[in-house]
Amino acid sequence: MGLENSAAGRNGARHPGGGDGIAELDPIAAAPMPAHLDDWEAQAFADPDLFEALAESVGGPFHLLYPPRMARNIREFQAVFERAGVEGVVYYGKKANKSAAFARTCAENGAGIDVASVGELTAALANGIRGDELMVTGPAKSDDLLWLATRHGALLAVDDHHELQRLAALGSSAVPARVLLRVRPPASSSRFGMSDDEIAHALTLLTDSRTLRMEGFSFHLSGYDAAARARLAADLLDRCLLAQSMELPAATISIGGGFGVDYVPESAWRRFTEGADRSRFHAGKSFDSYYPYHFPEPGPAMLAAILDTHDVAERLRDNTIRLAIEPGRALLAHAGCTVFRVQGSKIRHAHGHPYRLLTVDGTSLSLSEQWFGSEYLPDPLLWPQRPGTPTPTSVGAATCLDSDMLSWRRIPLPRAALVGDLLIYPNTAGYQMDSNESAFHDLPIPPKVLLRRAGDRFRWTLDK
C-alpha cells in the first residue's frame, strides 16, 4: 500500500479517522477503532475553521472540554435513581480531571464531588461545591485533610481504625465528623478497607464517641462487574441494619465508581482483541490487557443493572437508605478531546511493508490511560479531512525517550498524515488528559479550552 495521498482512497466519512475493512487492506495495520462521536463532537470536527484556529491561538497541544455534556451525564445518572424510587447522590470523582469548569458543572447540576487531597477539596469549594456535598476518600488521610473536611461537614470514608482515632480527636461534640466505614471486599487483596474484625472494633468506637457520627459504609472494588457491585451493595445494606440495631444512624452506602464508558462499537472491539498481535504494533510492542473500550451497559445503564440485582433498589427503598456513587470517567464520557499537531513524519517498514511514524508536539503523559501498562486505543481523527490512501500509522511524542509513544498500534488513518496536520483523540476527558501530566523537557502542559454553543457556532475560552 502506498503512503502518499491519493484521490482514489476513501476519507473515512462515516467514522473520521478510520473505517471497517482497513485492517484487511494492509497486513501490518491494526484493526480500526472508530470512536462513537457525540453530536457536539461531530459538529466541531465538521467545522472548517475551529480546530485550526484553536491550535494557532494556543500554539501547542490542547484539551478541548464541553461541560454541557458532563451536565447531561449527571442528569442521566440522577434519572436512574428517580425511576427506581431510590434516594441517590452522585459524587464526581475529581481525580478524573482537574478542570475547574467540571467542578462548577457539578455545583450547577446537583452533584457532589469525591476528593482525596486538600488541593482537590479547596478547588471544589472554590467552584461552588458546599462542604456537605463533599465525599472524602483515599487511604491514611493527612490530619490537615481530616481537619478541613470535618470543619466543612464533608462525608469521610474512613479506611482504617487508626484514621478513625485521629478523626475522633479532630472532631467536636458540636460538629461531629460524618463517617462512612470502608469495607474490604471478601477474599480481596486490596490495600483499601477494613476486615470484619476491624469493622467491629470501629463500630464499638463509634458507639462510644461524641465527636464522630456514623453514617454508613462504603467499599472500593476494581473492575466493571455490575453483579459484583450489587452483591457488595447488599452486604453494605445488611451492615447498615446491624449498625442501626446498635443505635448508630447508618443510612448511607457508597458503592464507588467503576461505571464503564462505551468508546467504540462492539464489532470494532471484537476485531481488535481477536487480532491484537505484535505484528500490528510499532517495534513489536505488546500489552497484557486493555480497558474494555466497548461496554454494553455503560454509565447510567450499569447503575440501573445494579439496582435491579439482588433486590438492591427495593431494599434501599424499604429501609430508607441512601445510595452514593462516585463515577469519574463515566461522568466525563464525551465531554472532551485532546489535540496534537504533527511536527514530524517518517516512513518505517515492518515485515516488508511501509508505515508512517509520526511525531507530535506533545507527550504521552497528556494522553495517559489509567489502565496501567496499556495505551489509549480509540482512533484519533485526522484533520483536515481529505481523500487519500488508508495508511497504517504509529504516533510518537516530542521527547528524547524512545518509549514515549502516544499510539504504538499502527492506526489505519484514512490518509497519510502530513506535517502540520492535527490529530484529534476523542473522548479523553476521563483520566486521559491530566492524571499523569508532566512538564518533562520543560514542555508546556497542554491548556484546557472550554467550548460552548452560541447559536449555530462555537465559542471558546480558557479553563481557569
Side-chain angles (χ1 to χ4, degrees):
M1 180 173 68
L3 287 170
E4 298 306 317
N5 289 342
S6 168
R10 76 183 188 189
N11 65 9
R14 182 180 176 189
H15 293 290
D20 290 345
I22 291 178
E24 286 78 15
L25 296 179
D26 193 290
I28 63 169
M33 292 280 278
H36 297 303
L37 296 184
D38 209 33
D39 289 344
W40 80 266
E41 294 172 290
Q43 182 182 344
F45 187 72
D47 189 307
D49 305 312
L50 177 63
F51 282 103
E52 181 60 34
L54 285 169
E56 288 286 342
S57 298
V58 171
F62 62 94
H63 305 299
L64 190 61
L65 310 184
Y66 190 63
R69 189 54 164 93
M70 184 196 197
R72 173 180 157 188
N73 293 334
I74 292 171
R75 291 193 298 269
E76 289 178 350
F77 273 103
Q78 292 168 337
V80 173
F81 286 129
E82 291 171 7
R83 287 194 296 270
V86 167
E87 182 184 358
V89 60
V90 179
Y91 291 93
Y92 163 53
K94 195 176 186 306
K95 60 186 179 291
N97 197 296
K98 300 183 183 77
S99 167
F102 287 149
R104 190 179 187 92
T105 299
C106 291
E108 294 171 342
N109 289 273
I113 294 186
D114 165 27
V115 303
S117 70
V118 170
E120 286 187 340
L121 190 154
T122 55
L125 292 173
N127 285 284
I129 297 295
R130 294 184 289 267
D132 62 358
E133 296 171 328
L134 290 168
M135 169 90 74
V136 184
T137 57
K141 292 175 270 300
S142 70
D143 283 350
D144 285 345
L145 178 57
L146 294 177
W147 179 82
L148 190 61
T150 300
R151 294 281 294 174
H152 284 281
L155 188 58
L156 292 113
V158 175
D159 196 63
D160 64 62
H161 182 69
H162 298 295
E163 182 176 270
L164 191 63
Q165 290 177 316
R166 289 190 293 119
L167 185 58
L170 291 168
S172 70
S173 57
V175 186
R178 301 169 59 217
V179 172
L180 297 179
L181 297 181
R182 177 177 273 185
V183 177
R184 189 175 68 186
S188 171
S189 60
S190 173
R191 65 188 179 95
F192 302 126
M194 292 184 269
S195 67
D196 286 345
D197 288 344
E198 290 166 334
I199 290 290
H201 189 191
L203 288 173
T204 300
L205 177 60
L206 285 160
T207 301
D208 297 333
S209 176
R210 293 186 177 183
T211 61
L212 301 172
R213 175 182 170 85
M214 168 60 174
E215 297 215 359
F217 297 89
S218 69
F219 62 75
H220 171 85
L221 185 66
S222 299
Y224 300 89
D225 185 348
R229 289 183 184 278
R231 284 194 298 272
L232 282 173
D235 175 69
L236 295 195
L237 284 164
D238 290 337
R239 292 178 185 272
C240 280
L241 297 179
L242 174 62
Q244 289 174 11
S245 72
M246 300 169 66
E247 299 186 355
L248 293 169
T252 296
I253 64 170
S254 173
I255 63 173
F259 294 90
V261 173
D262 190 33
Y263 288 86
V264 302
E266 188 276 336
S267 58
W269 178 238
R270 185 180 65 252
R271 291 180 61 203
F272 170 77
T273 53
E274 290 173 352
D277 61 81
R278 293 172 181 265
S279 68
R280 301 184 186 277
F281 288 70
H282 171 67
K285 183 71 171 179
S286 65
F287 299 103
D288 292 333
S289 65
Y290 298 94
Y291 177 87
Y293 288 100
H294 170 67
F295 205 83
E297 289 187 315
M302 181 175 170
L303 174 59
I306 292 170
L307 292 172
D308 286 343
T309 304
H310 297 300
D311 300 322
V312 169
E314 181 180 357
R315 294 189 63 199
L316 288 166
R317 291 191 302 267
D318 289 349
N319 294 285
T320 319
I321 291 176
R322 184 179 73 153
L323 177 62
I325 59 173
E326 302 153 33
R329 187 191 295 254
L331 286 185
L332 298 177
H334 296 290
C337 60
T338 298
V339 183
F340 300 93
R341 191 183 292 280
V342 177
Q343 63 183 27
S345 175
K346 59 180 66 172
I347 297 175
R348 288 293 182 262
H349 291 79
H351 311 289
H353 297 270
Y355 67 97
R356 288 270 173 167
L357 180 57
L358 306 180
T359 298
V360 296
D361 59 352
T363 79
S364 61
L365 297 173
S366 298
L367 187 72
S368 52
E369 178 52 79
Q370 289 305 99
W371 194 275
F372 294 117
S374 66
E375 68 178 6
Y376 188 66
L377 289 182
D379 290 347
L381 312 179
L382 180 58
W383 193 95
Q385 297 185 75
R386 299 192 188 106
T389 300
T391 303
T393 305
S394 295
V395 184
T399 71
C400 62
L401 301 178
D402 201 25
S403 61
D404 192 359
M405 296 286 294
L406 284 75
S407 298
W408 290 88
R409 71 183 261 270
R410 297 192 189 92
I411 301 160
L413 290 182
R415 62 172 175 83
L418 305 176
V419 172
D421 288 345
L422 300 177
L423 284 180
I424 305 165
Y425 283 87
N427 206 357
T428 57
Y431 287 114
Q432 284 75 45
M433 291 183 177
D434 58 21
S435 60
N436 292 329
E437 67 182 6
S438 168
F440 185 61
H441 276 318
D442 278 341
L443 290 168
I445 291 175
K448 293 185 173 75
V449 177
L450 304 180
L451 201 64
R452 62 181 176 85
R453 292 185 189 272
D456 60 351
R457 301 289 301 276
F458 285 112
R459 295 290 184 267
W460 64 272
T461 186
L462 293 177
D463 192 31
K464 296 179 181 179

